[in-house]
Amino acid sequence: MSIDTLNMSTPAAVRRVSEVRAVVDLDEPGAVISRHVYGQFAEHLGHGIYGGFWVGPDSDIPNIRGIRTDIVEALREIRVPNVRWPGGCFADEYHWRDGTGRPGSRARMVNTHWGDVVEDNSFGTHEFMLLCELLQAEPYISANVGSGTVREASEWVEYLTRGDDSPMSALRRQNGRDEPWKVRFWGLGNEPWGCGGRMDAEAYAATARTFGTYSRDHGGNKLYRIAAGANSDAYEWTETLMRTLGFRLGHSRPEGEGVGAYQAISFHSYTVPGTAEAKGSATCFETDEYYRTLARATQVGEQLQRHAAIMDAYDPDRTIGLALDEWGVWLDAEPDTHPGFLYQQNSVRDALVASIHLDEFHRHADRLVMANIAQTVNVLQAVLLTDGPTLIRTPTYWVFEMSKGHQDAHSLRVRLDNVRRVESDGRSLPLASASASRTEGSALISLSNLDADEPALITVELRGGVAGAARGRMLTADRATAHNTSANPDLVTPVELSVQQRGSDLVVELPPHTFATIELEVG
């Protein structure tokens, strides 16, 4: 195959191009990729809620009963499946009754974790449930385990989901909502090893079992209880939670034992290029820091594998799910912003961190049931930023938009050959990443060229199926530091990618630091 045939603007003789081969087995569908691995996270933190989702019904910014209209429209475009709320660390100091009743008369509190600001609770349970209805997304509510009580959590479930004349149902009706909501995902606290109570694994396991038992199913609503799990690679935490449910190594759980405590175990994993004190800039970084960030992002694959392996040893029938309900790049707050509000810009590099994570999620679809990027609006690796009335879709947003076809599709095996590597942060970083999935009649292939400086010529060999029409898109820019702003909101947006079909092969050229997708008709 001649590189010259790809009509590159610069002659092949003077250009260095990495040639990569990918093999996709169309006829060997694997586990279904749960749409819930594309979940979002909205915490009462900085301008994530106030100034983000919530502008209030009296705002000049178009809104639906206080919820910003353009945010709803943007998130519906990427098919958001679920939203986790109210935290995060905030969840374990949040008392849900304070966020009910007539706005303006609700109890106030101090948000001690994030900025030490006064929270007026104008965005509470009813507002969050309205948001989920507008997004057509499922709510994922984190109960207060750190400073709350078992009764408080139990009554919140009753308030949300019970339909008769129980005390909490009556209170909900008094507050303006007659019919109960459907709430499936129920989190049992947040980071109990840290801001959620500084517990050890054994203490939390016992606490979670009690909270899970008394967070009851009402009527036709069935809770999917998610225990708060490990910090990144603290694998012993996962093992402790599995043992607490009554599993024995190599055996299925005895009938009835542990039922009702929790149905999934979570963990959190952040990508930090630098140190806790100096994490790194979102938009000012050199090539070595670019590679270090991506190398650290690839650790999520090992973490997923090892947490899943522990669970497989105790639960070979895979009756318990694994959730990564906080992930993303954590960088220094932007200059001249409140350091406790965690506002950071979002570059092409961050989009590639997202693509690496999504590829790993697809590969671990047999155990991973949910993942939630931190966070949706104006906080950490946000998919959306606001600047007054202007809404900015970040490069990470476009990765989610381009990848939405993977939701609820069968994962496909992808093998990469001839991938160049660089050494960074003590790791060997492959400079290409890929994943694929299929549904009836179509397939979606994700490809990332992680090389900071050189393009990649990627040949995709399709086995076990016949490919029809192919449509390619790519997300890139001249620099990995490129990002969208209110002055230039479309600097980094998807453009068409030329796909050449040669028999059973597809051939594309990806510029440096580029994410791409290929949609295929398959038979």
Side-chain angles (χ1 to χ4, degrees):
M1 181 186 302
S2 170
I3 295 176
D4 294 319
T5 63
L6 290 182
N7 192 29
M8 298 187 233
S9 59
T10 304
V14 297
R15 300 174 75 248
R16 179 182 173 193
V17 180
S18 298
E19 296 193 43
V20 177
R21 188 165 191 87
V23 179
V24 179
D25 295 314
L26 294 171
D27 60 343
E28 297 183 18
V32 172
I33 300 166
S34 171
R35 65 186 181 277
H36 291 292
V37 303
Y38 283 80
Q40 297 288 324
F41 175 31
E43 184 171 6
H44 288 241
L45 197 174
H47 296 298
I49 299 294
Y50 304 110
F53 282 109
W54 183 254
V55 293
D58 299 326
S59 175
D60 293 334
I61 297 173
N63 66 86
I64 305 168
R65 291 157 54 187
I67 295 173
R68 188 166 167 151
T69 306
D70 55 2
I71 286 181
V72 170
E73 292 170 347
L75 294 178
R76 288 187 66 170
E77 289 174 18
I78 62 173
R79 301 180 194 165
V80 169
N82 71 78
V83 182
R84 181 173 178 246
W85 173 86
C89 292
F90 182 79
D92 281 305
E93 62 179 2
Y94 180 71
H95 300 281
W96 68 268
R97 288 174 188 257
D98 294 346
T100 61
R102 185 173 59 83
S105 64
R106 296 178 183 177
R108 293 153 64 87
M109 62 173 288
V110 176
N111 188 338
T112 61
H113 290 291
W114 306 119
D116 198 36
V117 296
V118 175
E119 159 76 50
D120 69 2
N121 282 308
S122 55
F123 187 94
T125 296
H126 289 249
E127 291 75 22
F128 173 67
M129 296 304 293
L130 170 63
L131 171 64
C132 291
E133 289 174 351
L134 293 173
L135 295 177
Q136 299 178 357
E138 290 196 57
Y140 171 16
I141 293 178
S142 296
N144 182 346
V145 171
S147 67
T149 66
V150 172
R151 177 175 178 176
E152 182 181 9
S154 176
E155 289 182 340
W156 200 4
V157 178
E158 180 186 329
Y159 182 92
L160 287 160
T161 65
R162 194 171 180 91
D164 58 12
D165 61 349
S166 75
M168 293 300 105
S169 301
L171 179 60
R172 184 189 66 243
R173 293 190 180 95
Q174 178 183 320
N175 289 330
R177 170 79 182 195
D178 184 31
E179 293 298 316
W181 292 284
K182 289 291 184 182
V183 176
R184 180 162 51 139
F185 300 121
W186 186 251
L188 304 174
N190 171 80
E191 297 187 358
W193 37 266
C195 60
R198 304 203 180 278
M199 308 178 199
D200 59 29
E202 288 75 14
Y204 171 73
T207 300
R209 189 162 187 168
T210 302
F211 269 78
T213 299
Y214 285 94
S215 295
R216 302 187 185 282
D217 297 336
H218 292 279
N221 190 83
K222 302 297 182 184
L223 293 179
Y224 189 86
R225 302 162 186 83
I226 302 173
N231 182 18
S232 60
D233 59 356
Y235 304 113
E236 67 280 0
W237 192 283
T238 296
E239 185 166 16
T240 297
L241 291 181
M242 294 301 293
R243 285 191 285 102
T244 302
L245 281 176
F247 288 104
R248 293 180 297 134
L249 282 171
H251 294 77
S252 298
R253 182 172 55 188
E255 184 67 28
E257 189 166 343
V259 172
Y262 36 92
Q263 286 73 46
I265 293 171
S266 73
F267 77 105
H268 293 172
S269 180
Y270 284 97
T271 300
V272 180
T275 65
E277 295 74 24
K279 297 177 177 66
S281 168
T283 58
C284 298
F285 52 85
E286 301 298 331
T287 301
D288 60 343
E289 189 173 351
Y290 165 86
Y291 282 134
R292 184 166 66 249
T293 305
L294 300 187
R296 292 185 180 183
T298 63
Q299 293 180 84
V300 73
E302 178 183 349
Q303 292 165 6
L304 286 165
Q305 181 178 355
R306 293 189 61 181
H307 283 294
I310 292 167
M311 297 175 75
D312 287 346
Y314 282 90
D315 177 29
D317 296 333
R318 293 179 177 165
T319 61
I320 300 294
L322 178 63
L324 175 55
D325 55 12
E326 286 187 29
W327 68 269
V329 181
W330 194 324
L331 301 164
D332 293 333
E334 290 299 306
D336 302 319
T337 66
H338 193 304
F341 285 3
L342 306 188
Y343 176 84
Q344 62 191 48
Q345 251 296 349
N346 194 292
S347 71
V348 170
R349 177 186 63 172
D350 301 315
L352 295 174
V353 169
S355 74
I356 289 169
H357 278 72
L358 294 177
D359 285 344
E360 291 293 349
F361 298 168
H362 303 159
R363 282 191 277 272
H364 291 87
D366 56 348
R367 176 65 82 170
L368 188 68
V369 297
M370 177 185 286
N372 301 78
I373 190 169
Q375 296 185 14
T376 311
V377 187
N378 291 334
V379 177
L380 297 175
Q381 192 179 350
V383 298
L384 298 171
L385 301 175
T386 62
D387 183 4
T390 303
L391 182 68
I392 302 161
R393 291 165 170 81
T394 68
T396 296
Y397 172 92
W398 289 115
V399 172
F400 274 72
E401 191 275 335
M402 295 167 67
S403 303
K404 61 188 178 184
H406 289 300
Q407 294 186 23
D408 291 333
H410 285 273
S411 62
L412 297 174
R413 185 171 58 178
V414 180
R415 297 181 299 284
L416 292 174
D417 295 322
N418 199 37
V419 177
R420 195 165 71 87
R421 291 174 175 264
V422 297
E423 296 299 316
S424 181
D425 199 46
R427 297 172 180 83
S428 178
L429 171 68
L431 295 183
S433 181
S435 63
S437 68
R438 72 168 297 171
T439 56
E440 187 66 34
S442 66
L444 181 63
I445 302 170
S446 294
L447 300 168
S448 297
N449 177 17
L450 306 180
D451 197 304
D453 302 307
E454 304 295 342
L457 183 70
I458 302 181
T459 300
V460 181
E461 179 185 350
L462 302 173
R463 296 181 179 176
V466 178
R471 177 195 179 212
R473 300 166 76 202
M474 65 178 178
L475 185 74
T476 192
D478 291 340
R479 306 176 314 280
T481 57
H483 54 281
N484 297 331
T485 65
S486 56
N488 195 351
D490 299 318
L491 178 63
V492 187
T493 53
V495 296
E496 183 179 355
L497 170 67
S498 175
V499 181
Q500 295 196 20
Q501 294 182 267
R502 300 179 176 178
S504 61
D505 288 354
L506 309 174
V507 183
V508 296
E509 185 195 3
L510 302 188
H513 48 262
T514 294
F515 171 70
T517 55
I518 304 173
E519 299 177 49
L520 289 171
E521 295 177 4
V522 295

